Amino acid sequence: PGENETAVNLEELKTSVLYSGPVDPAEWVGLRKSYPLLVYLRNNLLMLAILAFEVTIYRHQEYYRCRNNLTAPVTKTIFHDITRAHLDDGLVNCIKYFINYFFYKFGLEVSHNTLILFQEKKRKKKRKIFFIYVRTFFVYSQTHEVYFQKCRNDYPWRNGNANFNSNIIKWLYFPDFIVKPNPVFLVYDFMLLLCASLQRQTFEDENKAAVRIMAGDNVEICMNLEASSFSQHNPVPDFIHCR
């Protein structure tokens, strides 16, 4: 492209994977000859094996419950006999409780540290924001894949009128002919989507009476209360200001 057609300096253009040398068009649509084939497919085969193992376990559990007239647990936890009442009953029960419900209790704080986006204080509004965020994330992923597979001479973010630089394109993982996208950045996207999806599921579980009985509720305590007066409104024993 000419200097006025693409928003990129000449130094970056010289190192472009598209213009520095011949490029096999098949690689731009995800096709590349690999040898040996088994080494290339080993990660895919490993994922299929793990999924098959997971389905086998769930089917075996379902068959066992049907055969012995057992009902499935209310929550998918490791220690089914541990509830909110056991949290303050010794260190061992406390550890078991947090193994079961750590994200249920502290998922919002973990999501805030991961996403760094949501500053809304009301929990009810955060529930709506997380739902919209997860849906938008999925739509963005699908749109990104479809756009990447189309054959184009240039991208909008490399247009002369676009205010994008190489660092922004790299972090947004946009397809680019200047710098080859680093697949490691997909790990960050995965962590973002994982935390947001788990928190959205937590918001749904909070509205289930059976889950609240087992894990406790996440009702907010008034932010205007003094720390020393929490014991008047919180049924949990106060181990800090008790003296």
Side-chain angles (χ1 to χ4, degrees):
E3 297 183 16
N4 297 327
E5 297 177 5
T6 304
V8 60
N9 56 53
L10 295 179
E11 293 298 327
E12 288 183 332
L13 197 60
K14 292 179 181 179
T15 60
S16 168
V17 296
L18 182 60
Y19 299 105
S20 60
V23 178
D24 185 2
E27 295 188 6
W28 286 86
V29 294
L31 300 177
R32 183 179 60 184
K33 187 175 182 179
S34 180
Y35 181 84
L37 184 61
L38 185 60
V39 176
Y40 179 76
L41 296 176
R42 60 184 178 183
N43 292 331
N44 300 78
L45 296 176
L46 179 60
M47 292 177 58
L48 290 176
I50 294 175
L51 292 174
F53 182 69
E54 179 187 16
V55 172
T56 302
I57 293 176
Y58 280 119
R59 292 298 182 185
H60 181 270
Q61 291 177 340
E62 183 179 358
Y63 173 75
Y64 180 82
R65 294 190 184 105
C66 292
R67 186 176 181 182
N68 295 276
N69 295 325
L70 300 176
T71 59
V74 177
T75 58
K76 296 181 180 180
T77 56
I78 299 177
F79 306 103
H80 301 305
D81 57 339
I82 297 297
T83 63
R84 178 62 181 82
H86 297 89
L87 177 59
D88 304 306
D89 187 17
L91 181 60
V92 176
N93 288 336
C94 178
I95 295 175
K96 290 182 178 180
Y97 175 83
F98 281 117
I99 291 176
N100 287 345
Y101 305 109
F102 174 81
F103 207 92
Y104 178 83
K105 282 297 183 181
F106 297 102
L108 193 58
E109 288 74 13
V110 174
S111 300
H112 281 175
N113 293 331
T114 306
L115 303 177
I116 321 177
L117 295 176
F118 307 127
Q119 301 298 329
E120 177 61 46
K121 296 181 179 180
K122 296 297 183 180
R123 196 175 185 89
K124 183 180 295 186
K125 293 183 179 179
K126 288 179 181 179
R127 184 183 295 112
K128 298 179 181 179
I129 294 175
F130 269 89
F131 180 81
I132 297 174
Y133 177 81
V134 173
R135 294 295 183 184
T136 305
F137 203 110
F138 275 112
V139 173
Y140 165 77
S141 301
Q142 297 298 325
T143 305
H144 177 274
E145 293 297 330
V146 172
Y147 191 87
F148 178 75
Q149 293 177 5
K150 289 184 177 180
C151 180
R152 294 184 61 90
N153 296 326
D154 204 351
Y155 295 110
W157 41 89
R158 283 300 186 184
N159 189 276
N161 298 324
N163 295 323
F164 283 86
N165 56 36
S166 297
N167 290 329
I168 296 178
I169 295 173
K170 177 180 66 175
W171 276 101
L172 295 178
Y173 206 75
F174 286 161
D176 187 24
F177 56 81
I178 301 298
V179 180
K180 184 178 180 179
N182 188 354
V184 176
F185 286 98
L186 292 178
V187 177
Y188 304 118
D189 288 341
F190 170 77
M191 295 303 299
L192 290 175
L193 181 59
L194 177 64
C195 291
S197 300
L198 290 175
Q199 185 56 42
R200 187 182 67 86
Q201 182 63 42
T202 299
F203 282 136
E204 294 181 359
D205 292 340
E206 290 176 356
N207 295 327
K208 299 178 181 178
V211 176
R212 292 199 300 268
I213 293 175
M214 296 291 294
D217 59 63
N218 286 337
V219 179
E220 294 176 321
I221 300 177
C222 182
M223 299 177 59
N224 298 324
L225 295 177
E226 295 292 335
S228 58
S229 63
F230 277 176
S231 59
Q232 302 176 7
H233 307 273
N234 193 349
V236 179
D238 186 357
F239 299 103
I240 299 178
H241 300 91
C242 59
R243 297 183 180 180

